[in-house]
Amino acid sequence: MVVPVLTTAVRRHRSLRWVVTATVTVAASASVMTPVAAADPSICPQVGAFCGFYSPSHRIDCEVDTGGRTGPDSVYCKTLEPARSASMDDLGTVTTCSGPQCVGDAAEGTPTLAYGQSVSLGPFQCASARTGVTCTAAHGRGFVISTAGITTVG
């Protein structure tokens, strides 16, 4: 069984660029089901627009960018404690970074994506869960970020 898993995005203050996340697809056996989050279209209304959100704990924030506003389509998520980030292109290629040079402030007015909710924008999908945020690209590759670390998926 193939289950879509959602992703998130965050703004990279260090380079003054918005970076976007991607949507991932995970293969699950019949005995193990991956929960699928309900979509929240109010946070990411249209391709070509900025999409950003906090996790409910505000310990993770993400940004998704499509339409070439600030460069190639991408997703960027980060934690401040510990200071680390993950970015992903539209093919699901993930780059991680650790240390204060890798993070910046989220945009003012960034909304909160409730646990169990997801956002989709262009080829990207991000899902918020108590265990972290999962972002994937249309090719099923991406990452999971939490305060415990960053892991790639797909």
Side-chain angles (χ1 to χ4, degrees):
M1 171 181 270
V2 177
V3 178
V5 178
L6 307 177
T7 59
T8 59
V10 184
R11 189 182 112 196
R12 183 183 302 196
H13 179 68
R14 176 176 60 95
S15 66
L16 299 178
R17 279 185 13 147
W18 295 100
V19 183
V20 184
T21 56
T23 302
V24 172
T25 301
V26 175
S29 72
S31 62
V32 178
M33 291 300 299
T34 302
V36 176
D40 183 348
S42 66
I43 293 179
C44 292
Q46 63 188 10
V47 171
F50 163 75
C51 169
F53 62 88
Y54 277 108
S55 67
S57 69
H58 279 225
R59 297 181 79 191
I60 302 169
D61 65 277
C62 297
E63 296 175 1
V64 177
D65 187 32
T66 61
R69 280 188 46 184
T70 59
D73 292 355
S74 60
V75 172
Y76 170 80
C77 293
K78 67 156 170 61
T79 60
L80 291 177
E81 293 182 17
R84 62 177 71 139
S85 65
S87 58
M88 179 175 59
D89 65 18
D90 60 350
L91 298 177
T93 304
V94 176
T95 303
T96 61
C97 185
S98 295
Q101 74 280 6
C102 303
V103 300
D105 297 329
E108 285 188 41
T110 298
T112 298
L113 184 64
Y115 295 134
Q117 295 291 301
S118 66
V119 295
S120 294
L121 190 63
F124 306 110
Q125 191 171 31
C126 294
S128 175
R130 291 187 187 280
T131 55
V133 173
T134 301
C135 292
T136 59
H139 295 73
R141 297 175 58 199
F143 63 87
V144 177
I145 185 169
S146 69
T147 56
I150 299 168
T151 56
T152 58
V153 294

